[in-house]
Amino acid sequence: MTDSELHGRIQDLDVTLWVGKSGVEPVVDELRTQLESRDLVKAKFLRAARGGTTTEQLAVDLADRAEADLIETRGNTAVYSA
């Protein structure tokens, strides 16, 4: 898949995972489960989740915990693959 094809797929992807005030820990298993049936998952990091950190830091933390690949972060969203 070319970069432009991947970017198009990411742009059309709906958010299916929300990270809220409880942080990334409660959604680790959900990300793993979604990646079993999808090749890409888009997550949104709500303001309450960010606290004193950045979306990028949270996105990397979630990827590490779920053993997923972080494809990109943009704004308050991140895209993962298995």
Side-chain angles (χ1 to χ4, degrees):
M1 179 180 310
T2 67
D3 283 345
S4 62
E5 289 172 331
L6 179 61
H7 180 69
R9 288 196 53 216
I10 289 172
Q11 210 168 11
D12 292 339
L13 199 61
D14 290 328
V15 172
T16 58
L17 188 71
W18 287 265
V19 181
K21 65 182 177 183
S22 297
V24 298
E25 188 60 38
V27 297
V28 169
D29 289 338
E30 179 62 25
L31 177 56
R32 286 183 185 142
T33 300
Q34 287 190 27
L35 286 171
E36 288 175 5
S37 59
R38 305 168 194 206
D39 52 339
L40 296 173
V41 172
K42 187 182 278 188
K44 181 167 183 130
F45 294 85
L46 303 177
R47 182 178 299 132
R50 294 191 305 273
T53 188
T54 66
T55 297
E56 291 79 16
Q57 290 169 322
L58 288 171
V60 168
D61 186 29
L62 179 55
D64 289 346
R65 292 176 188 231
E67 299 174 356
D69 295 322
L70 176 61
I71 303 301
E72 79 169 22
T73 58
R74 180 171 290 175
N76 297 320
T77 62
V79 178
Y80 298 92
S81 69

